Amino acid sequence: MMKSGILCGLVLLSGCGMLQGKGPATATPAAVEIAPAVTTTALGAQGATAAALDTTTSAEKAAALAAPAAAGERELGRVTVALGPPAEQGIWLRTGLVSETVMGRVMTAAGKSLAVELRPGSGAALLSLAAFQALGLGLTDLPQVTVFGP
């Protein structure tokens, strides 16, 4: 009985050494696999990638980025945005700053501007997958944007 208790203790201690990188089974950098960036990791239950879920074309994103500020637009406010449902296509922002769907614009803290469809919402502001990608934002970021509208 005493021998099996000592044996279990030694096994546990040797396992602790391995966890701390001191045992014989230490992983070398070549053996460690790094996960890919968020933009290529699986999103949703079906394992679709961000690129596969976003059907907005490069031309549509470029046009939204190049769109000038609309005449008479005004600053509606600043909001922190989270990634909206990737299955909802288009370039949009869902926010409590509007009460009906209108065209508007968002600007990042870095000064990058994008024409978006402003959709009414409540709670946290959500920005579409296409808008996140057009603005070069990380999909797990919670950036603050300034919202402009009519």
Side-chain angles (χ1 to χ4, degrees):
M1 199 58 133
M2 178 88 158
K3 287 182 183 180
S4 64
I6 293 173
L7 181 60
C8 285
L10 289 174
V11 169
L12 287 174
L13 285 176
S14 67
C16 290
M18 284 184 209
L19 289 176
Q20 295 173 350
K22 296 178 182 174
T26 331
T28 63
V32 176
E33 186 174 321
I34 308 275
V38 173
T39 56
T40 58
T41 57
L43 296 175
Q46 301 301 317
T49 64
L53 290 171
D54 182 12
T55 61
T56 307
T57 66
S58 297
E60 290 170 319
K61 290 177 189 173
L65 284 166
E73 80 172 11
R74 62 188 175 87
E75 183 177 321
L76 302 178
R78 289 187 177 101
V79 294
T80 300
V81 295
L83 179 63
E88 284 188 46
Q89 297 301 309
I91 300 174
W92 52 265
L93 170 69
R94 188 176 312 279
T95 176
L97 296 175
V98 296
S99 57
E100 62 184 10
T101 300
V102 295
M103 287 308 295
R105 184 171 60 92
V106 295
M107 183 182 297
T108 65
K112 206 165 190 181
S113 177
L114 181 71
V116 296
E117 180 180 84
L118 298 174
R119 299 176 179 178
S122 60
L126 300 175
L127 190 63
S128 70
L129 172 62
F132 256 82
Q133 291 185 322
L135 290 168
L137 302 171
L139 298 182
T140 58
D141 292 349
L142 296 172
Q144 187 176 72
V145 297
T146 304
V147 182
F148 298 89

